[in-house]
Amino acid sequence: MLTEERHQFIRDRLAADGKVLAGELASRFGVSEDTVRRDLRELAKAGQLRRVYGGAVPAAPFAAATIGQRSSHAVEEKHRLAKAAVRVLTSGQALFIDGGSTNEAIARAIPRDIELTVATNSLGVASALADLPLVELIVLGGRYIRDLGTCVGGDTLAAVAQLGADLFFLGSCGLDASRGVTAFDSAEAEVKRAMAKNSAGIVIAATNDKLATAAPYRVAAADTIRHLVVERTAPAAILADFQRQGAEIRFA
Amino acid sequence: MLTEERHQFIRDRLAADGKVLAGELASRFGVSEDTVRRDLRELAKAGQLRRVYGGAVPAAPFAAATIGQRSSHAVEEKHRLAKAAVRVLTSGQALFIDGGSTNEAIARAIPRDIELTVATNSLGVASALADLPLVELIVLGGRYIRDLGTCVGGDTLAAVAQLGADLFFLGSCGLDASRGVTAFDSAEAEVKRAMAKNSAGIVIAATNDKLATAAPYRVAAADTIRHLVVERTAPAAILADFQRQGAEIRFA
DNA sequence: GCAAAACATGCAATAACATGCACAAAGAAA
DNA sequence: TTTCTTTGTGCATGTTATTGCATGTTTTGC
């Protein structure tokens, strides 16, 4: 087990549970508690957590999570979702993919032997697709927003308006059966709306923590979702609401 | 087993598993661990992974966007050129940066504490700038050309036309005192011309093998070059030709 | 205040690492 | 062809990083 893996696991657990215990980590990693304490000390020195007696807690619980930090969160789940999500793809399709760590995971999971045309405003998605030989990649430029990892603004909207797609992989922020898909940022929501408008169907892959939540800006109604990819542990009651509105549920 | 095959395998495994172990790779390839470590060292130098004790993990989130093969060539020289090139920057400037491995090296060499507005059509440059907090980044979208690592086409030209810059970091292809700056690709040349037109000055960083060569498509006349950054071993006669036409020579 | 748990520090063993060198294979030049 | 150069590889050498243990200190709960 690499030191880096332990550090990554600790970061993930901190983001997920809000705390880690030194003894618990030691037995899970199969190393001595001294080693875990050394790990915690290093991460604390790098400002990635705050040490407390018995373990550690997140450094800045209320700091806005940038895309880099978010993508380290729940890596396993997102990878599983991504593998399930790419199964809706068929060769020759045209896609919109917007930002978000889940969408980046999906982009990385796209197999090399499928032919696609993809338009994206996310640098991470574009980077992941940059070396897929059969993917025609269209970068939707504009003002780059560091916290989102995507381009937004008038230029982006204009570029989207010129395109059409079969599917739109919508990086959801909030997902609620009555309020539909919602976003935290106004400019981001504008781009998502434009992509949704010019797409024949919407695909959303969502971890459980996104379900039954809502953000300020409305993006799309729930009945516009064609495929909803969720974890196996997703609450059945919530899924039924989406299913009634026409969404096809796919489990990771 | 070819070196390149090992490198490709390592890249694939990193993308799939998120880590590689030196010992494991050695036994799989049937080579010594020293050879594997050499491989890892090279790939790390080219920015394609990050070395950790025991193996390696994926580099930055956007590592895939950088031009893999070309940028592994003459890394030292380009890094030196890049460090010299960024010395022309002053806080508050607006820049165009187009594609090419030298320009990617320059983007990576930009210090974190300088405030800039940068518009680029290169995914690699954009990725390098994505986490510089004081850089306002404008991505020039369009059709992505895999071989160039940049976006080209009408959309790109339209986006460039709306902007203006103090300096244009031109990734040179051919550089000749009489024929000026030239490019191998028509669409690429169009974008370069548009950027040159909307910039107050042109900066070119060129390795020796670019000097006194020319490509089919004309981009800019030699007398439009304001700063020319070259290696210390560059032929003085060639440099004198550019100097006569107004270029300020800077040695790496 | 006291005992137990958690912690920091120094130390030694081990594994991973970098470096220099020799050798072999592949290619270029004579 | 022969010779030379280049490149890749493995091995020997010394160096560095990581780890667990022993020791002494600090914190916590009672």
Side-chain angles (χ1 to χ4, degrees):
Chain A
M1 158 148 276
L2 265 50
T3 306
E4 186 58 33
E5 290 181 89
R6 292 199 308 271
H7 288 192
Q8 189 59 48
F9 184 90
I10 292 169
R11 280 188 286 260
D12 287 350
R13 272 293 285 270
L14 271 181
D17 301 351
K19 65 163 184 176
V20 288
L21 303 178
E24 188 182 307
L25 290 172
S27 62
R28 173 177 287 268
F29 293 148
V31 298
S32 72
E33 294 198 22
D34 299 74
T35 301
V36 171
R37 275 192 275 271
R38 263 185 280 254
D39 289 338
L40 296 179
R41 225 178 301 167
E42 281 182 44
L43 290 170
K45 199 173 176 182
Q48 306 194 21
L49 54 77
R50 192 162 58 84
R51 293 219 55 190
V52 295
Y53 201 84
V57 294
F62 304 116
T66 63
I67 184 71
Q69 291 165 326
R70 256 197 318 242
S71 61
S72 72
H73 173 54
V75 190
E76 293 290 338
E77 288 81 355
K78 283 171 184 171
H79 191 60
R80 272 201 301 274
L81 282 178
K83 281 196 290 189
V86 296
R87 280 201 284 273
V88 311
L89 296 176
T90 58
S91 222
Q93 282 178 324
L95 312 177
F96 279 123
I97 306 183
D98 81 329
S101 54
T102 307
N103 271 349
E104 289 183 17
I106 290 174
R108 278 193 294 271
I110 292 177
R112 295 184 75 85
D113 58 358
I114 190 168
E115 191 181 333
L116 296 169
T117 302
V118 181
T120 183
N121 65 330
S122 155
L123 265 193
V125 170
S127 300
L129 299 175
D131 62 339
L132 293 187
L134 299 182
V135 170
E136 162 140 8
L137 175 60
I138 294 160
V139 177
L140 303 167
R143 195 161 41 87
Y144 179 77
I145 307 297
R146 202 155 278 111
D147 289 347
L148 303 174
T150 56
C151 296
V152 299
D155 293 341
T156 318
L157 292 173
V160 173
Q162 294 181 349
L163 299 166
D166 300 307
L167 292 175
F168 169 25
F169 283 77
L170 202 172
S172 77
C173 308
L175 199 53
D176 184 273
S178 59
R179 299 197 53 189
V181 188
T182 46
F184 286 102
D185 183 89
S186 160
E188 188 187 14
E190 274 186 331
V191 175
K192 286 175 192 288
R193 274 195 291 264
M195 287 181 173
K197 186 181 161 205
N198 291 353
S199 308
I202 292 179
V203 184
I204 295 183
T207 48
N208 285 348
D209 59 323
K210 303 276 180 62
L211 295 175
T213 65
Y217 297 94
R218 182 91 177 249
V219 172
D223 61 8
T224 61
I225 301 173
R226 184 186 296 182
H227 297 286
L228 181 58
V229 184
V230 294
E231 303 177 62
R232 294 198 177 281
T233 55
I238 297 177
L239 299 181
D241 287 341
F242 285 103
Q243 210 161 12
R244 259 193 299 278
Q245 302 191 50
E248 178 193 321
I249 311 291
R250 287 172 174 256
F251 290 100
Chain B
M1 158 146 281
L2 266 49
T3 307
E4 187 53 36
E5 289 181 271
R6 292 200 307 272
H7 287 195
Q8 190 56 50
F9 185 90
I10 292 170
R11 280 188 284 260
D12 291 346
R13 271 292 287 270
L14 270 182
D17 300 351
K19 67 156 183 174
V20 290
L21 304 178
E24 190 182 304
L25 291 172
S27 62
R28 172 177 289 269
F29 293 148
V31 298
S32 73
E33 294 199 21
D34 299 73
T35 301
V36 171
R37 273 191 275 270
R38 264 184 278 253
D39 289 338
L40 296 179
R41 225 179 302 168
E42 282 181 42
L43 290 169
K45 202 170 173 183
Q48 305 194 15
L49 53 78
R50 189 162 60 86
R51 292 217 57 189
V52 296
Y53 202 84
V57 294
F62 302 126
T66 55
I67 306 176
Q69 309 206 335
R70 258 174 310 177
S71 61
S72 66
H73 178 252
V75 190
E76 292 293 339
E77 289 79 355
K78 283 169 186 173
H79 188 60
R80 271 200 303 274
L81 282 178
K83 280 196 291 186
V86 297
R87 279 202 284 272
V88 310
L89 296 175
T90 58
S91 221
Q93 282 178 324
L95 312 177
F96 280 123
I97 305 183
D98 82 328
S101 53
T102 307
N103 271 349
E104 288 183 16
I106 289 173
R108 278 195 293 271
I110 292 177
R112 293 185 74 84
D113 57 358
I114 188 169
E115 192 181 333
L116 295 170
T117 301
V118 181
T120 183
N121 65 331
S122 155
L123 268 191
V125 170
S127 299
L129 299 176
D131 60 340
L132 293 187
L134 299 183
V135 170
E136 162 139 8
L137 175 60
I138 294 162
V139 178
L140 302 167
R143 195 161 41 87
Y144 179 76
I145 307 297
R146 201 154 280 109
D147 292 343
L148 303 174
T150 56
C151 296
V152 299
D155 292 341
T156 318
L157 292 173
V160 172
Q162 293 181 352
L163 299 167
D166 299 306
L167 292 176
F168 169 26
F169 282 77
L170 203 172
S172 76
C173 308
L175 199 53
D176 184 273
S178 59
R179 298 196 53 187
V181 188
T182 47
F184 287 102
D185 183 89
S186 158
E188 190 187 14
E190 274 186 330
V191 175
K192 286 176 193 286
R193 274 194 291 264
M195 287 182 174
K197 186 181 160 207
N198 291 353
S199 308
I202 292 180
V203 184
I204 295 183
T207 48
N208 285 347
D209 58 323
K210 304 277 179 60
L211 295 175
T213 65
Y217 298 95
R218 181 90 178 251
V219 172
D223 62 8
T224 62
I225 302 173
R226 183 184 296 180
H227 298 285
L228 181 58
V229 185
V230 294
E231 304 176 60
R232 295 199 178 280
T233 56
I238 298 177
L239 299 182
D241 286 342
F242 285 102
Q243 211 160 12
R244 258 192 300 278
Q245 302 192 51
E248 177 192 323
I249 311 292
R250 286 172 174 254
F251 291 100

